[in-house]
Amino acid sequence: MSMVLRRLLTAIPTLFGVVVVTFLLTRVLPGDPAVFFASNPSMSAADIAAVREHLGLDLPLRDQFLVYLGNLMHGDLGRSVATGQSVAAEFARRLPASAELTVAAFALAVAIALPLGVAAALRPGSPVDHAARLIATLGASLPSFVTGLLLIFAFYVFAGIAPEPAGRLAPFMVEPERVTGFLTLDALLAGERATFAAALRQLALPAAAMALFALAPLTRMTRAAMIATLGADFIRTARAAGLSRRTIIVTYALRNAMVPVATTMGMTFSYMLGANVLIERVFSWPGIGAFAIDSLINLDYAPLQAFMLVMAAVFITVNLATDLVTALIDPRAAR
Amino acid sequence: MNALLSVRGLGVDFETGDGPVHVLENVSLDIAPGEITGIIGESGSGKSVMAFAVMGILDPAARITGGDILFRGESLLAMDPRRRDGWRGREAAIIFQNPRAALNPIRRVGDQIGDVIARHDRPPAHALRGRVEDALRRVGIPDPARRARAWPFELSGGQCQRISIAMALACRPGLLIADEPTTGLDVTTQAAIIALIRALARENGTAVALITHDLALAAATCDRLAIMHAGHVVETAPAPTILAAPRHPYTRALLASAPALAGSINELQPIPGRLPDLRRADLPPCRFAERCPRRIARCDAPGPLGLHEAAPRHLLACRNPP
Amino acid sequence: MTRIARHLARGNPLDLAGFALFGLLCLTAAFGPLLVAHDPLATDAAAMLQPPSARHWFGTDQIGRDILARVVVAARLDLLIAAGAVGLSMVAGSIMGAFIGYRGGWADVVVSRLVDVMMAFPLFVLAMALVAALGNSVANVVYATAIVNLPFYIRLARAEVRLRRDLGYVEAARVGGAGDGRILMRHLVPNIAAPLVIQGSVNLGWAVLNAAGLSFLGLGVRPPAAEWGIMVAEGVRFIASGQWWIATFPGLALMLAVLAFNLLGDALRDLLDPRLRT
Ligand SMILES: Nc1ncnc2c1ncn2[C@@H]1O[C@H](COP(=O)(O)OP(=O)(O)OP(=O)(O)O)[C@@H](O)[C@H]1O
Ligand SMILES: [Mg+2]
């Protein structure tokens, strides 16, 4: 328990640092938000000054920061200059799309990587082992946006079995009532099987592209950790005690191997957050990454700022969760 | 023959990148029920490999090239693998050196003992806890109910070894192999662990194979001694006989090099030479020959070197004994 | 060198493939422009969107440029960006890490905290924001990639120096009157070279991906420059209409380059640090 508290406390300075960095970054960005309006010829210098004042850009940097911090406290992530919309509202709308994609891809990658890594470790030098090593090396070399495109070409253009890569649901379909924000789950909850199938089909390719990306580190670490654990003295003890193969592999080896694997899972999940940006772009996925990129290209910085904050917050949460899981598995880490 | 365990002409090779290593050759050894047998030899002489072969936990790189291992007259090598799994832990058990590493670091010690009991004796679930506490009590762990919930990292090395012993003896096996059980423990703990093993073995009629480098310890603890050198058993006899009338030149050298047994510090003599490289294809029939002061032409004559009875209950593998 | 040769002769085929691919890549980067039959920037209205053929092995793009020529020529730019970024961050990061590891104190606290903060962002996202902040140019892609890689080198060098700073030979040098700077540069930094080189080769692959990803999004390198990420981005529109070659070949080149660095990293790890072998 004290360990949880300690970890929470150490996350605070990091979180504060993240806020400072995000703030500074957006202040040095070349696009002065007011200039955006200045490009409109009907605006005079006085108008621009008014906009600056409205946006608080005439204040000293320290005061700007305090205002920014105060707004954050109220959940105000600023406004998109391009659309005039609240960034927080836009994020609330888009976050489930990104989350569903990332979680689905992560679950898919884990579901493949764990058994593959374990099987490879149990039979070193076997075909499974070679396959695992190939995936671990090749997978780490796949640019996710290229795999995404190749998947689109193969399954949509060429084979014609995947739907058009344009968002989460075909335009003519009605979204299910929003409960979780995950379309697949919501469709199931509403009992609309056709919608569920359609949403799953949309999800399949981008999730696969992202899972491919995550597969490599997960497989590599599972295999390595399992090999190391299987060679440990206590496994020899368990074998000598005549414990069943199942008990030895699952209760003794796998649980121990899960300690480093859990850490790798956390890291991989965070990497996936970054890769999200590219995948969402390739598949026109209406998530926060795509939104951030569109804003960046339009020199609209509030969404980018919010995006970085959200990413860092998720990252810190994931790290925290990883530490907790590790502490649950390993009593030595819980102290 | 009423041996509990009988190793007969056992050979073990290890496959390595540079060809096979001939780790054990024609190893024979009998262990009688209820007896404590010391297995002694320099590092690398194959003591652990023999123990692992008996337990059936050899590394995948190991290959049994010949011989057999009988337990209560039944061949372990021919035994159905599933029965062999049940045999391990119930009929025979082993404890290792470095007791802390030998325990699963993330499982409570009581659960680890419970795993063994549950696997072999299948007691009703409510009885398991009591059995675990009994096992802990027998190895002298105070407050077993509380200790059962401890993690290995919370215990000292000596306590971890007690847990290992509790685990090994939980199902009252007929044979306990103790592979250097006290290496790495401090001296007082060493004595306590050895005393514990002895007491439990006597109490339950368990036969013990005590593997050690320490000739003095073995002489004080064991009924019989088996001396190993470079993958051969070179001499076995009752412990007093080995001490008083050793026959093999290697045994004599070993005695002369043991501080506690040599008459005075001035009489201490290191054993000349080193173990031969076991990867060699041209290993001599007697692997001690190249270090032996009594080597004669007959020693190098081709043909296997077996143990022969030099006196009643005294076996020797030497072609030119003194 | 002989050690490398002996290791290769013993023949892990993957290691061999890594060195071979890496060599090929370097040759392409060095001599690519001399080898190609077409001008990578020359448009040809008569040969637009042609599939691979004997004349255009990789086909042509929407304005008739030869894709093979562009893929080959792009190697230099992509590798230079990656090498520049990794070189910069390796030098800067290891000096900073070695310094704070050796000195400790408040500098250590501040830099370590900063590193924690940087690591809290997904690195690609951070690189994206940095390029936006610094301005959209090739040089800034190099700087941004270098900056987001800094934490790895800082942490690595710091940890290695902390491990070693109290060892005998360092103590001996200190007693012998060597100054801190001299101890750092002569006695500590050379000893942490192996892990740094391994980290560097792995990072090269990552840096290539990072740079290509940025230009895929329209950050950094600008058209009409031949660069793999841009070429993939340009080909995206044509995937749906079946003109797969425009995006696929630069994508494959990118993949091969990253693969080469990853294999090289694994091989170097085996070679320099057998402890880490997996
Ligand atoms: N997995 C293996 N691969 C190759 N050779 C091995 C392997 N395991 C053991 N050996 C070799 O077998 C020989 C005997 O090893 P063993 O561990 O049985 O010695 P030991 O008598 O128990 O020594 P110690 O007192 O050091 O424990 C050694 O020469 C060792 O090199
Ligand atoms: Mg041993």
Side-chain angles (χ1 to χ4, degrees):
Chain A
M1 198 55 222
S2 70
M3 172 259 170
V4 177
L5 228 86
R6 205 151 14 98
R7 272 302 276 113
L8 275 174
L9 286 179
T10 56
I12 290 174
T14 311
L15 203 55
F16 182 75
V18 162
V19 173
V20 174
V21 167
T22 338
F23 170 79
L24 287 179
L25 212 52
T26 42
R27 293 307 124 151
V28 294
L29 284 174
D32 180 339
V35 177
F36 183 80
F37 297 101
S39 59
N40 182 341
S42 68
M43 286 184 101
S44 66
D47 290 335
I48 293 174
V51 169
R52 287 182 63 87
E53 195 179 327
H54 175 70
L55 293 172
L57 295 176
D58 53 341
L59 299 173
L61 207 58
R62 200 194 51 172
D63 294 354
Q64 285 189 38
F65 180 67
L66 290 179
V67 170
Y68 176 65
L69 210 57
N71 288 343
L72 276 186
M73 294 287 177
H74 294 103
D76 180 359
L77 297 174
R79 267 173 199 290
S80 157
V81 183
T83 65
Q85 295 285 317
S86 146
V87 172
E90 185 73 31
F91 265 57
R93 201 159 38 249
R94 285 169 168 267
L95 197 57
S98 294
E100 184 175 29
L101 174 57
T102 313
V103 169
F106 186 69
L108 184 63
V110 170
I112 297 174
L114 282 194
L116 186 62
V118 171
L122 288 177
R123 290 191 183 68
S126 69
V128 187
D129 188 26
H130 289 303
R133 292 166 69 166
L134 195 71
I135 285 180
T137 311
L138 271 184
S141 314
L142 295 179
S144 53
F145 56 100
V146 176
T147 19
L149 284 174
L150 292 182
L151 286 177
I152 291 175
F153 178 74
F155 291 97
Y156 167 62
V157 180
F158 186 74
I161 50 179
E164 188 186 349
R168 306 173 75 189
L169 213 51
F172 57 84
M173 306 241 5
V174 187
E175 285 200 12
E177 190 191 341
R178 180 164 170 160
V179 186
T180 60
F182 284 23
L183 287 189
T184 47
L185 284 186
D186 287 351
L188 278 184
L189 288 176
E192 296 165 25
R193 301 183 62 168
T195 315
F196 169 74
L200 198 61
R201 275 159 55 86
Q202 293 293 134
L203 186 60
L205 285 194
M210 213 154 39
L212 273 176
F213 169 85
L215 214 48
L218 290 175
T219 308
R220 181 184 275 248
M221 188 41 106
T222 309
R223 178 178 173 276
M226 240 354 233
I227 287 180
T229 314
L230 285 171
D233 282 5
F234 66 85
I235 293 294
R236 194 178 58 192
T237 309
R239 285 210 296 143
L243 299 189
S244 69
R245 197 175 146 78
R246 222 189 93 88
T247 312
I248 293 176
I249 293 175
V250 179
T251 315
Y252 280 68
L254 189 56
R255 278 194 48 155
N256 274 278
M258 279 313 283
V259 176
V261 172
T263 309
T264 309
M265 280 181 169
M267 274 167 47
T268 308
F269 193 85
S270 318
Y271 285 146
M272 287 171 78
L273 294 176
N276 236 336
V277 179
L278 293 162
I279 294 280
E280 286 182 6
R281 180 123 173 123
V282 169
F283 287 91
S284 311
W285 198 257
I288 55 174
F291 180 50
I293 281 297
D294 290 343
S295 316
L296 183 67
I297 288 163
N298 294 330
L299 300 179
D300 184 2
Y301 293 118
L304 178 67
Q305 197 173 30
F307 177 66
M308 295 194 56
L309 264 185
V310 170
M311 287 288 137
V314 172
F315 182 95
I316 292 172
T317 316
V318 167
N319 265 352
L320 216 61
T322 310
D323 285 0
L324 291 184
V325 168
T326 309
L328 278 183
I329 307 177
D330 187 345
R332 289 165 298 181
R335 288 190 304 170
Chain B
M1 188 72 199
N2 59 354
L4 175 72
L5 177 80
S6 179
V7 180
R8 304 239 170 119
L10 185 69
V12 173
D13 281 4
F14 277 88
E15 294 304 336
T16 68
D18 333 309
V21 192
H22 311 290
V23 173
L24 294 186
E25 185 183 68
N26 198 16
V27 163
S28 295
L29 180 70
D30 280 352
I31 292 181
E35 242 180 31
I36 301 187
T37 305
I39 300 174
I40 295 129
E42 284 166 280
S43 191
S45 53
K47 307 180 296 289
S48 297
V49 170
M50 180 169 68
F52 290 7
V54 170
M55 294 306 295
I57 53 170
L58 281 171
D59 196 283
R63 200 164 52 87
I64 295 189
T65 55
D68 204 351
I69 306 172
L70 307 181
F71 187 82
R72 297 194 206 281
E74 183 185 1
S75 166
L76 292 177
L77 301 183
M79 195 185 267
D80 168 65
R82 303 217 9 217
R83 263 191 68 212
R84 184 89 188 270
D85 279 349
W87 174 87
R88 272 187 213 115
R90 191 177 58 224
E91 303 283 352
I94 182 168
I95 58 176
F96 304 96
Q97 68 183 63
N98 196 358
R100 198 187 301 280
L103 295 177
N104 185 342
I106 62 168
R107 199 161 171 77
R108 293 181 196 279
V109 295
D111 292 344
Q112 298 189 47
I113 299 172
D115 286 339
V116 182
I117 297 174
R119 161 86 168 122
H120 296 296
D121 290 356
R122 303 178 192 283
H126 63 86
L128 187 60
R129 245 185 80 185
R131 290 277 317 263
V132 168
E133 288 170 19
D134 281 347
L136 286 170
R137 201 170 292 117
R138 282 167 61 206
V139 295
I141 300 251
D143 196 358
R146 197 170 60 86
R147 276 306 186 201
R149 298 186 47 75
W151 305 102
F153 70 84
E154 295 171 337
L155 304 177
S156 70
Q159 279 174 314
C160 284
Q161 194 57 292
R162 279 173 196 269
I163 302 289
S164 295
I165 295 172
M167 223 167 132
L169 297 183
C171 299
R172 304 195 185 247
L175 173 68
L176 172 69
I177 302 178
D179 189 354
E180 305 189 30
T182 58
T183 309
L185 301 180
D186 66 64
V187 183
T188 40
T189 316
Q190 285 188 5
I193 293 287
I194 294 291
L196 176 69
I197 292 176
R198 251 178 83 116
L200 287 174
R202 294 274 184 253
E203 189 181 314
N204 299 312
T206 308
V208 177
L210 177 66
I211 298 178
T212 175
H213 301 260
D214 187 342
L215 193 50
L217 173 90
T221 315
C222 302
D223 303 312
R224 276 180 81 77
L225 297 181
I227 313 294
M228 287 190 73
H229 175 264
H232 286 165
V233 170
V234 295
E235 184 168 13
T236 73
T241 312
I242 293 270
L243 291 184
R247 296 293 303 280
H248 198 282
Y250 176 66
T251 311
R252 297 185 159 202
L254 210 56
L255 283 168
S257 72
L261 296 175
S264 76
I265 206 94
N266 298 331
E267 288 173 35
L268 267 187
Q269 285 176 12
I271 306 176
R274 296 197 277 122
L275 289 182
D277 180 354
L278 299 181
R279 269 167 308 196
R280 271 165 50 185
D282 63 334
L283 280 168
C286 171
R287 292 181 178 181
F288 188 62
E290 287 161 8
R291 315 166 71 176
C292 184
R294 300 184 54 82
R295 183 182 190 178
I296 54 174
R298 187 147 42 97
C299 295
D300 298 322
L305 171 69
L307 287 165
H308 57 89
E309 199 152 25
R313 308 197 63 218
H314 190 160
L315 302 179
L316 184 64
C318 181
R319 288 174 179 169
N320 184 25
Chain C
M1 234 31 223
T2 53
R3 199 145 63 104
I4 297 181
R6 201 156 359 107
H7 184 79
L8 286 181
R10 199 131 34 94
N12 178 344
L14 275 184
D15 292 359
L16 219 60
F19 280 100
L21 265 178
F22 177 69
L24 190 73
L25 214 56
C26 291
L27 286 180
T28 313
F31 304 110
L34 305 175
L35 299 176
V36 292
H38 298 268
D39 178 347
L41 295 180
T43 60
D44 180 357
M48 293 189 316
L49 293 177
Q50 285 188 353
S53 63
R55 191 170 146 67
H56 299 286
W57 291 4
F58 286 3
T60 61
D61 67 7
Q62 71 281 11
I63 48 179
R65 292 174 298 195
D66 180 62
I67 292 181
L68 175 60
R70 289 175 64 73
V71 165
V72 167
V73 168
R76 183 181 291 180
L77 181 57
D78 275 280
L79 292 197
L80 277 181
I81 292 176
V86 170
L88 263 181
S89 61
M90 190 190 290
V91 171
S94 44
I95 289 178
M96 281 160 72
F99 178 78
I100 62 171
Y102 185 71
R103 268 300 173 76
W106 64 267
D108 185 22
V109 174
V110 170
V111 175
S112 298
R113 273 267 155 252
L114 263 175
V115 165
D116 284 349
V117 170
M118 279 178 77
M119 295 291 278
F121 293 100
L123 295 183
F124 182 71
V125 172
L126 190 59
M128 228 169 72
L130 279 172
V131 175
L134 297 171
N136 213 347
S137 74
V138 175
N140 287 339
V141 169
V142 174
Y143 297 139
T145 310
I147 291 174
V148 300
N149 264 327
L150 274 179
F152 295 113
Y153 296 99
I154 295 181
R155 283 188 172 172
L156 190 66
R158 175 178 179 272
E160 296 281 338
V161 166
R162 280 170 67 96
L163 270 181
R164 292 188 164 82
R165 77 178 159 192
D166 297 322
L167 292 186
Y169 64 95
V170 175
E171 205 56 52
R174 200 175 292 137
V175 172
D180 284 353
R182 198 180 146 79
I183 288 177
L184 258 180
M185 296 321 284
R186 292 293 293 274
H187 296 282
L188 289 174
V189 171
N191 274 303
I192 61 178
L196 282 173
V197 167
I198 295 169
Q199 176 75 40
S201 66
V202 173
N203 264 15
L204 273 173
W206 189 84
V208 172
L209 272 184
N210 192 61
L214 287 175
S215 44
F216 175 77
L217 294 177
L219 292 166
V221 189
R222 314 250 191 124
E227 193 280 339
W228 294 328
I230 290 188
M231 294 174 69
V232 174
E234 286 173 344
V236 170
R237 288 189 288 141
F238 299 98
I239 285 276
S241 47
Q243 282 112 356
W244 52 271
W245 56 90
I246 304 178
T248 301
F249 287 114
L252 285 180
L254 180 58
M255 224 178 267
L256 272 184
V258 182
L259 182 65
F261 289 126
N262 284 343
L263 288 176
L264 189 72
D266 284 352
L268 287 176
R269 193 195 320 265
D270 284 358
L271 206 62
L272 299 174
D273 196 350
R275 274 176 307 149
L276 298 176
R277 201 169 298 182
T278 50

